[in-house]
């Protein structure tokens, strides 16, 4: 029976928002599938993208589900400016 992913609602109202809560969530998630909900993201800073890409690589290398959901338009624009397709996190083959 698959384990339900732990969900973290990423709250980034601006590019200078604190990322410590995200890092703490990832550190505490251990070997469980996770979902990052981006519905509260107005602008995704590059440091946050680095954290998400590193976590994605780690989780998928362990065969665990890693997803980023509810990607807002502001988040999509930021990803595009950094050369990352927003669909990347939905594609299981990209890791």
């Amino acid at each position: 029976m698959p384990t339900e992913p732990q969900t973290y609602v990423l709250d980034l109202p601006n590019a200078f928002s604190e990322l410590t809560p995200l890092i703490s969530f990832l550190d505490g998630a251990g070997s469980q599938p996770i979902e990052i909900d981006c519905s509260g993201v107005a602008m995704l800073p590059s440091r946050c993208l680095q954290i998400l890409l590193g976590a994605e690589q780690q989780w998928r290398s362990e065969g665990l589900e890693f997803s980023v959901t509810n990607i807002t338009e502001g988040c999509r624009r930021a990803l595009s400016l950094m050369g990352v397709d927003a669909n990347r996190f939905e594609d299981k083959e990209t890791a």
Side-chain angles (χ1 to χ4, degrees):
M1 181 173 180
T3 304
E4 283 293 314
Q6 290 188 47
T7 301
Y8 178 78
V9 178
L10 189 57
D11 184 23
L12 299 175
N14 61 60
F16 304 103
S17 299
E18 182 59 49
L19 298 175
T20 303
L22 171 62
I23 294 167
S24 295
F25 169 78
L26 293 170
D27 285 343
S31 295
Q32 298 181 28
I34 60 172
E35 174 184 324
I36 307 296
D37 180 336
C38 287
S39 59
V41 177
M43 179 64 166
L44 187 76
S46 61
R47 182 163 179 259
C48 184
L49 176 60
Q50 289 175 317
I51 292 167
L52 292 176
L53 290 173
E56 176 192 41
Q57 183 178 11
Q58 178 181 339
W59 259 255
R60 291 190 177 171
S61 72
E62 295 176 15
L64 298 168
E65 180 183 336
F66 181 91
S67 62
V68 178
T69 61
N70 300 319
I71 300 173
T72 63
E73 190 56 40
C75 188
R76 285 184 189 281
R77 274 194 307 272
L79 288 169
S80 178
L81 287 171
M82 292 183 274
V84 176
D85 185 350
N87 296 327
R88 172 198 170 75
F89 295 107
E90 297 166 0
D91 182 357
K92 306 282 186 219
E93 303 302 316
T94 58

